[in-house]
Amino acid sequence: MARKSGAAAEETTSKSARTRERILDAAAHVLSRKGYAGTRLSDVADQAELQAPAIYYYFGSRDDLIEEVMWSGIAHMREHMTKMLAALPPGNDPLDRIDAAVEAHLRYCLEISDYTTASIRNAGQVPESIAVRYEAEASQYGDIWRQLLQDAVDAGLLRPDLEPFAARMLVLGALNWAAEWWNPRRGSLDTVVRTAQSLVRHGLSSQQAAAGAGAASPPRAASPPGPAARAGRRPASADPRAAG
């Protein structure tokens, strides 16, 4: 049997990678809307415009596919958040950095990535065998927020009556829950972002920090443009502890 040329082999590999990515994109779309229990491989195949048996060439089982989507969702958001924070001006006020993180989290979840929406909405639904890899990545994402709040504590900007761990989990729980209730018919995403930034800033900051904030608008996060946010999603349970 003749061997494929290097170019032909590379093209085959590239096509295989594109098909695998198409399956993952389709699975993220279905999982974000129908939840773990409602996601069927036939629905994923229809979304990907493939025959369902073709999925098994790339993923050993339905749970293997869902695990990859769950992990990708939180891993991509962690990477996005890390880059966004690194791009902020050096010495930026800790509360301004939290404002930027609030916007980045909401926009990435609600507007940019089906993967992240799927992972957040299904964190409390998937079995432990799937959750292990997701939770390890979510813990690293939580570390970013832990440092954001610690920087505010070190700068004397966090209210002294707040316990940082509880504050972090409550903030992330509120942000994650937006994946359950928001769609464009409930108002613009810009309004949601501004409202969340105001609630978080004024809920966390000390009186001195709040007094010094003035009327200046918080900086916008450096989020890449995303597709129009999804409307009319079917309810699925979101775990407020996700990405904590």
Side-chain angles (χ1 to χ4, degrees):
M1 179 182 296
R3 294 184 178 180
K4 293 182 179 179
S5 67
E10 184 176 344
E11 173 60 25
T12 300
T13 301
S14 177
K15 182 179 179 181
S16 178
R18 289 196 300 269
T19 301
R20 185 179 189 274
E21 183 176 1
R22 192 158 90 243
I23 292 170
L24 284 168
D25 289 348
H29 179 88
V30 174
L31 186 63
S32 69
R33 289 154 177 78
K34 295 191 174 183
Y36 173 74
T39 294
R40 301 180 302 175
L41 287 184
S42 59
D43 295 330
V44 174
D46 289 344
Q47 180 69 25
E49 299 181 344
L50 295 169
Q51 295 297 315
I55 294 175
Y56 288 105
Y57 178 81
Y58 299 92
F59 300 95
S61 68
R62 169 181 173 271
D63 279 1
D64 287 346
L65 174 58
I66 290 175
E67 180 191 39
E68 185 70 17
V69 170
M70 294 285 293
W71 174 83
S72 295
I74 193 65
H76 293 167
M77 186 155 73
R78 180 171 70 89
E79 179 181 0
H80 171 70
M81 184 70 75
T82 299
K83 291 179 178 178
M84 184 279 301
L85 291 172
L88 293 177
N92 211 232
D93 181 281
L95 292 177
D96 288 342
R97 289 175 65 81
I98 291 174
D99 279 337
V102 167
E103 177 167 12
H105 184 104
L106 285 172
R107 289 193 185 279
Y108 204 80
C109 173
L110 300 178
E111 185 177 42
I112 296 172
S113 176
D114 270 338
Y115 288 78
T116 299
T117 306
S119 67
I120 287 175
R121 298 187 84 195
N122 290 279
Q125 296 187 35
V126 297
E128 185 176 354
S129 58
I130 293 177
V132 169
R133 190 180 176 208
Y134 165 84
E135 289 176 353
E137 189 68 34
S139 178
Q140 294 185 60
Y141 181 67
D143 287 341
I144 295 175
W145 283 88
R146 179 164 38 250
Q147 188 61 55
L148 287 169
L149 266 68
Q150 186 59 52
D151 290 345
V153 170
D154 294 343
L157 300 177
L158 200 72
R159 284 170 43 188
D161 58 319
L162 296 184
E163 198 284 310
F165 171 78
R168 172 168 58 91
M169 297 303 287
L170 287 167
V171 167
L172 282 170
L175 296 180
N176 288 340
W177 192 251
E180 283 297 307
W181 60 263
W182 183 81
N183 66 55
R185 293 191 298 273
R186 291 182 178 270
S188 74
L189 183 54
D190 288 345
T191 298
V192 174
V193 168
R194 288 195 301 270
T195 301
Q197 287 174 325
S198 180
L199 287 171
V200 171
R201 175 180 279 264
H202 290 91
L204 294 178
S205 59
S206 63
Q207 290 183 352
Q208 294 88 339
S217 299
R220 294 177 63 84
S223 298
R230 283 83 62 191
R233 291 178 294 191
R234 295 178 62 181
S237 174
D239 186 348
R241 297 169 297 172

